[in-house]
Each structure stands twice: as C-alpha cells, then as structure tokens.
C-alpha cells in the first residue's frame, strides 16, 4: 500500500449492534475483508484460504485476527449462519462505506470494488499496510504474516 492510512478511529458495529472500534481492541494483525453485502464464490475461497493460513500460524495465531466488514445491506440469516459455522474465528462487523472508500481512493494501487476479491492487512496499530487478492497463494500470505509478526515483536 502506497499510503498507509489508519483505521483506528473508524466506528464499526458488531452483530449485536454494539460499537466496535479498533482502538479498543487488542493490538493484532487483522486480515480485513471489505464487502458490499454478501460474499461471492471468489470471496468465499479467500475466506477459506485465510482460515487455513490462520491455522498454519500455530502458536502465533493469537497475534492475528480476520474480520469481515459488511459495507452494504444486512447479511441474510443463511449467510450469517454460514460464516458462524464455517469461520468461527471470523469477526463479522458492519462499517461506514465512505470511511473505508476514502482509504481505497487515496491508494491508486488498491481496487475500489467492494466485492471481497481483495483483502487487506491492518497492522497492529490499525494502519492498512498490505493488500492481497486471489492471485496470492496461501504460502505467500503465511510468509508475509510470519515476517511481520517476527519483526514487530
């Protein structure tokens, strides 16, 4: 990412309608999916890939979270249940579309399509620092995460 931007102050909402802000959370690396509503097949494949990477991190997985930020219409019960069942460690939140689009528009190298085909790594201090898409293999993501965890300690 050319211009890392902090998302620390962005107010998100959890499934219970409670406020959820990055500044109030433990400092972790967060793989972040920004999606306008529900995920298509490509997005679901990337959710699966990041879940596998999370598992392969082993003891270091406690320094890593995955979040799905819905910037569109509320998720259907069926899709919400699928996320809970298949991805129990995935935090599902709702966010303000304009805030997140501001990050994407200020970084020409990023896609501004909110379809979940690109996912983003938020550094421990909640700055968006890396972007990944379906062309990135799980081993590349795992290697990048291990390097960041090692050099950030």
């Amino acid at each position: 990412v050319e211009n890392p931007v902090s998302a620390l102050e962005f107010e998100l909402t959890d499934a219970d309608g409670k406020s959820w802000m990055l500044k109030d959370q433990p400092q972790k690396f967060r793989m972040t999916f920004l999606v306008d509503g529900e995920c298509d097949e490509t997005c679901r494949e990337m959710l699966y890939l990041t879940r596998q990477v999370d598992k392969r991190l082993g003891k270091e997985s406690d320094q890593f979270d995955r979040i799905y930020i819905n910037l569109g219409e509320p998720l259907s019960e069926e899709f919400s249940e699928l996320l809970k069942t298949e991805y129990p460690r995935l935090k599902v939140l709702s966010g303000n579309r304009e805030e997140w689009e501001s990050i994407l528009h200020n970084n020409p190298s990023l896609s501004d399509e909110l379809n979940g085909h690109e996912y983003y790594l938020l550094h421990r201090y909640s700055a968006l620092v890396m972007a990944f898409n379906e062309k990135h293999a799980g081993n590349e993501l795992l290697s990048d995460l291990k390097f960041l965890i090692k050099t950030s300690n």
Side-chain angles (χ1 to χ4, degrees):
V1 175
E2 294 172 21
N3 304 309
V5 179
S6 175
L8 204 58
E9 298 294 328
F10 290 4
E11 187 167 352
L12 301 165
T13 307
D14 69 14
D16 297 324
K18 295 179 184 161
S19 177
W20 193 95
M21 296 182 74
L22 287 163
K23 70 179 184 177
D24 300 329
Q25 307 307 314
Q27 290 182 352
K28 294 184 176 191
F29 291 98
R30 289 185 169 83
M31 193 56 62
T32 306
F33 291 82
L34 300 176
V35 186
D36 184 8
E38 297 186 5
C39 233
D40 65 10
E41 192 59 36
T42 300
C43 175
R44 289 178 192 204
E45 289 171 11
M46 291 195 297
L47 283 172
Y48 175 80
L49 174 86
T50 60
R51 181 182 69 187
Q52 297 308 104
V53 167
D54 185 17
K55 288 179 179 181
R56 289 184 60 201
L57 279 171
K59 65 181 178 160
E60 295 170 324
S61 69
D62 65 339
Q63 298 179 53
F64 174 72
D65 274 341
R66 295 175 312 124
I67 57 177
Y68 182 103
I69 302 176
N70 176 18
L71 302 173
E73 295 295 317
L75 303 177
S76 69
E77 284 185 41
E78 179 183 346
F79 187 68
S80 293
E81 191 58 37
L82 175 120
L83 292 178
K84 285 179 194 171
T85 304
E86 296 294 320
Y87 309 102
R89 285 183 27 93
L90 178 70
K91 183 76 175 167
V92 179
L93 304 164
S94 297
N96 180 296
R97 182 183 195 98
E98 289 76 29
E99 287 179 332
W100 291 95
E101 283 180 335
S102 70
I103 290 178
L104 302 179
H105 292 308
N106 288 327
N107 286 281
S109 63
L110 301 178
S111 169
D112 58 0
E113 292 183 37
L114 300 171
N115 57 14
H117 293 190
E118 194 165 70
Y119 51 99
Y120 310 95
L121 181 66
L122 293 175
H123 192 273
R124 285 185 172 149
Y125 304 105
S126 300
L128 190 147
V129 295
M130 298 179 89
F132 299 88
N133 60 34
E134 69 270 9
K135 296 176 186 159
H136 291 93
N139 287 337
E140 293 173 14
L141 174 58
L142 181 64
S143 175
D144 287 343
L145 283 171
K146 283 187 171 194
F147 175 79
L148 284 169
I149 290 168
K150 180 180 176 184
T151 59
S152 295
N153 287 330

